[in-house]
Each structure stands twice: as structure tokens, then as C-alpha cells.
Amino acid sequence: MKKINPQALLIAKYLNEWLEYHVPSIKACSPHTKRNYETSVALYVMFLRSVKQISPKTLSAQCFSLENMNEWILWLKEHRSCSPATCNVRLSALRAFLKYMADKDIAFMTSYLQAETVPNQKTPKRKVVGLSKMAVNALFTVPNQRTTRGLRDYTLMLTLYSTAVRINELLSLKIGNIFTDGPKPRIIVIGKGRKKRPIPLLAKPVQYIKQYLTECHPNPNNPDALLFYSKSRGIYVPMSAENVNKLLKRYAAIAKKICKEVPLNLHAHQFRHAKASHWLENGMNIAQISYLLGHECIQTTMVYLDITTEQESKALETLENEDQRKLQKKWKMANKGGLEEFLGLPLIGAAD
């Protein structure tokens, strides 16, 4: 019987170290990023097994060739219906894993360097649909604040807009990171790369957060409880972003009758984008906006706000200094055994 390639054992070892230790601990990536990395590598392994007939006995550094990676990108588009943006995300994750292996063992350096030469797919620039101040005000009139759900939803929308945090940052916000008393009310959110940043709270959000905690939250004195939690799963499990977007769309349908500027396909990210745009319109320093948004550089904020060349100089003056693919996610542990099981990866179902 043919023995397993020694390099295959190394790849399996490095993959486990990378996913279980390096990504969450050294790089301090979020669980979401870790899942994305795991899925991306699992898709490459699925390609190797199903298209290239690679097994644990034949897995080696040569499997990560330029030819294979280019063919994988085409396979993602043709057989998985992945958008160009999704293909770029998958490729970026594979590059990260190959870089980790190359840093550990020079035998994988060629594979990493070849991955760096695989061209990214061209993606059309997607502009966030604007949310005007009139639209925001119309949305705020819809929730019935006399009900528990209405008060929760109003507080969620108000906090989302007034702080411009990412939806996942808000949904992971614990009561212990909310400071409503004292001269400088604030929340402390955990952003990308597990970085903490304080966000100041204005008087109105402070008022409604206090009211929501007093009247609606089952355990407002528990610092580890989430501010916006899952009703069915308890105070330590966050509401899902999908549920937030569903409730926003319901409110948008009603608010549309009040203000035609309200987009029917409303989602949480539009509140963040809208607030950043309104800050800029009101003359806020672009560096302050960049910090509050959690961006690492001002240029990211420029691109995020879709600032044109003409607008850029004006904005700098204030310094004085994947369409989501429409496939169901399927995680089926069928056909046990083979390359995925050897590497400890989930077996991904075939695309519809």
C-alpha cells in the first residue's frame, strides 16, 4: 500500500496550527474571519480532490501550483457560481495560508510566491445606496416605543446611526462596555482585528439606552450580557444581523409612505454609511470620521464615502493636517473520508 506523502502530513499539521492557533490568537481574527479562511481552504481542497483526484497519498506542495490556482478560480466561477468579489476573498485566504506555510518551511515558498501572481478578478465598484437625513427621520418615527419590541428596535436604530458602528460591532456590544454616566458617555466596541475603540454617545442615545435597559432588558446589571441579544437563545447570544436587516426592511416599507427617499431594500450598513456622510456634510474633520469608523487610514474613508477627486481636497481641508452569491450554504458531511477528512476540513456540498 502506498504511504501518505510526508509533505501531506506537514500540510495537515500546518493547517491545524494556522486555523486553531495563528488565526484566532496571533492575528486576533474574529470567528467570522476564521470561518471564511476555513471555507476558502476547504473549497481549494474540494477542487483538488474532485477535479485533480488528489488524495492524502498524493498531496504535496506541487498541488499549490500557479496552474492549479488559476484553474481553481475558474472552477469557483463556473461550478460554484462565485462572484468576482467572492473569488478574490477565497484567493486572499489561500494566500494567507500559503504564506504561513512558507514562513514555517521554505519548501512551500514557491507555492506562496506563485499564489501572489494569481491575478485578482475585476470587480465593479458597488456604491452604497444613500440614506438622507429625511429618510433617517422617517424611519425613526415608525417603531412603537410604547412596546418592548418597538423600544428595542428604536434604540437599536438610533445607536446604529448615532455611532456609525458596524452591525456586528453593535450586536457584540456587552453591557459592561457601555458607560452612560459621567461627563463623557461612551461605548467601547471591538472592531476588525479585535481592536477596541471608544465611541462617544450623545444625550439622546444615552437616554434611550438607559430606558431600554431599565424597561426591556432582563439582566441590565450583568456586564457580560449583550445589549441586543437573541430572544430565543438568551442574553449571551447576539441577535443575528439577518434578523436586524429583516426588521429594518419592515420599517422601511412603512417609512416609504412617509418619505419617498427611504430605500425599500434597507440594511444596517446604510445607517453607518449615512452617518459618516452626514458627519462630512456637517464639516467634521475627516481624520475624526476615519477614527470613529475604525478605518486604519484616511484613504480608506475617502473610498468608503465615495469622495471624488474634486471633493477630496475639500475633505482634506477639514484636517488642517461578494454580490452575495445566491446559493444556499450547504454543509453536508457526506462521503466521509478522503482529503478533507485527512486535513480536518468540512466537506462542502456541491453547488446547485
Side-chain angles (χ1 to χ4, degrees):
M1 182 180 290
K2 190 174 180 181
K3 292 183 179 180
I4 292 176
N5 188 329
Q7 268 196 343
L9 295 173
L10 272 180
I11 292 170
K13 174 178 178 289
Y14 291 147
L15 180 59
N16 180 262
E17 290 176 356
W18 181 64
L19 285 174
E20 300 304 324
Y21 175 68
H22 184 77
V23 169
S25 300
I26 304 300
K27 291 191 68 178
C29 293
S30 68
H32 175 78
T33 301
K34 180 188 171 185
R35 284 194 301 273
N36 169 59
Y37 280 177
E38 183 179 49
T39 302
S40 299
V41 176
L43 283 168
Y44 188 76
V45 170
M46 180 182 180
F47 163 78
L48 290 178
R49 173 182 53 78
S50 62
V51 178
K52 297 298 182 180
Q53 285 75 52
I54 300 298
S55 71
K57 296 177 183 177
T58 56
L59 180 65
S60 68
Q62 284 68 44
C63 295
F64 299 89
S65 65
L66 179 61
E67 180 183 356
N68 280 355
M69 286 183 277
N70 278 321
E71 192 175 335
W72 174 57
I73 296 297
L74 292 176
W75 178 81
L76 287 174
K77 292 195 289 186
E78 294 173 3
H79 295 276
R80 303 289 306 178
S81 299
C82 290
S83 68
T86 300
C87 289
N88 290 340
V89 169
R90 300 303 182 210
L91 178 59
S92 177
L94 185 63
R95 284 172 176 157
F97 173 53
L98 290 174
K99 182 180 187 304
Y100 176 80
M101 289 204 296
D103 289 341
K104 290 285 186 178
D105 191 330
I106 198 170
F108 297 98
M109 182 60 72
T110 298
S111 299
Y112 166 62
L113 294 176
Q114 288 184 333
E116 287 293 298
T117 66
V118 177
N120 284 330
Q121 302 296 296
K122 292 184 178 179
T123 57
K125 185 176 180 180
R126 294 186 297 172
K127 190 172 181 178
V128 177
V129 177
L131 198 60
S132 68
K133 292 178 182 178
M134 288 181 61
V136 172
N137 290 333
L139 284 162
F140 284 163
T141 66
V142 179
N144 183 357
Q145 298 175 34
R146 289 172 295 183
T147 67
T148 298
R149 176 168 291 185
L151 179 58
R152 180 203 66 180
D153 294 349
Y154 180 84
T155 305
L156 187 150
M157 288 197 295
L158 179 63
T159 308
L160 193 61
Y161 174 72
S162 65
T163 61
V165 294
R166 300 176 180 93
I167 183 59
N168 288 333
E169 292 173 343
L170 181 60
L171 296 180
S172 62
L173 179 63
K174 295 181 179 180
I175 292 175
N177 285 331
I178 303 171
F179 304 91
T180 53
D181 297 319
K184 295 181 180 179
R186 66 198 182 280
I187 59 174
I188 297 177
V189 297
I190 301 175
K192 291 185 176 180
R194 309 298 294 169
K195 294 179 181 176
K196 295 182 180 180
R197 72 180 190 281
I199 307 291
L201 288 175
L202 299 178
K204 192 171 183 180
V206 167
Q207 173 193 338
Y208 276 93
I209 288 174
K210 283 184 174 180
Q211 184 180 348
Y212 164 71
L213 285 172
T214 301
E215 299 179 11
C216 306
H217 204 286
N219 198 343
N221 297 316
N222 184 344
D224 293 322
L226 294 165
L227 179 63
F228 299 109
Y229 59 92
S230 168
K231 288 288 186 182
S232 60
R233 301 174 66 187
I235 60 174
Y236 302 112
V237 179
M239 290 176 66
S240 71
E242 291 79 7
N243 283 340
V244 171
N245 286 328
K246 284 180 183 177
L247 71 87
L248 290 179
K249 287 177 175 61
R250 287 198 300 270
Y251 289 135
I254 301 171
K256 184 77 171 179
K257 300 172 184 177
I258 305 171
C259 176
K260 293 183 179 180
E261 295 178 8
V262 176
L264 288 174
N265 193 31
L266 181 67
H267 53 84
H269 190 74
Q270 285 168 287
F271 282 94
R272 171 176 163 84
H273 187 272
K275 187 60 176 180
S277 299
H278 299 162
W279 277 333
L280 188 65
E281 290 171 11
N282 293 339
M284 180 182 278
N285 185 311
I286 191 69
Q288 292 174 319
I289 296 174
S290 184
Y291 172 78
L292 290 171
L293 292 176
H295 291 162
E296 290 192 352
C297 65
I298 290 174
Q299 189 57 41
T300 302
T301 310
M302 296 284 193
V303 174
Y304 179 78
L305 292 175
D306 196 32
I307 294 176
T308 63
T309 304
E310 292 179 4
Q311 294 170 311
E312 186 169 342
S313 58
K314 184 178 179 182
L316 287 172
E317 282 176 9
T318 68
L319 279 177
E320 298 174 358
N321 57 20
E322 148 194 212
D323 295 326
Q324 193 145 1
R325 62 186 173 91
K326 299 178 181 179
L327 294 174
Q328 281 189 322
K329 293 181 180 178
K330 297 182 179 179
W331 300 89
K332 297 180 180 178
M333 294 306 290
N335 302 319
K336 290 185 178 179
L339 196 56
E340 285 93 339
E341 185 180 32
F342 171 75
L343 293 171
L345 291 169
L347 191 67
I348 299 177
D352 290 337

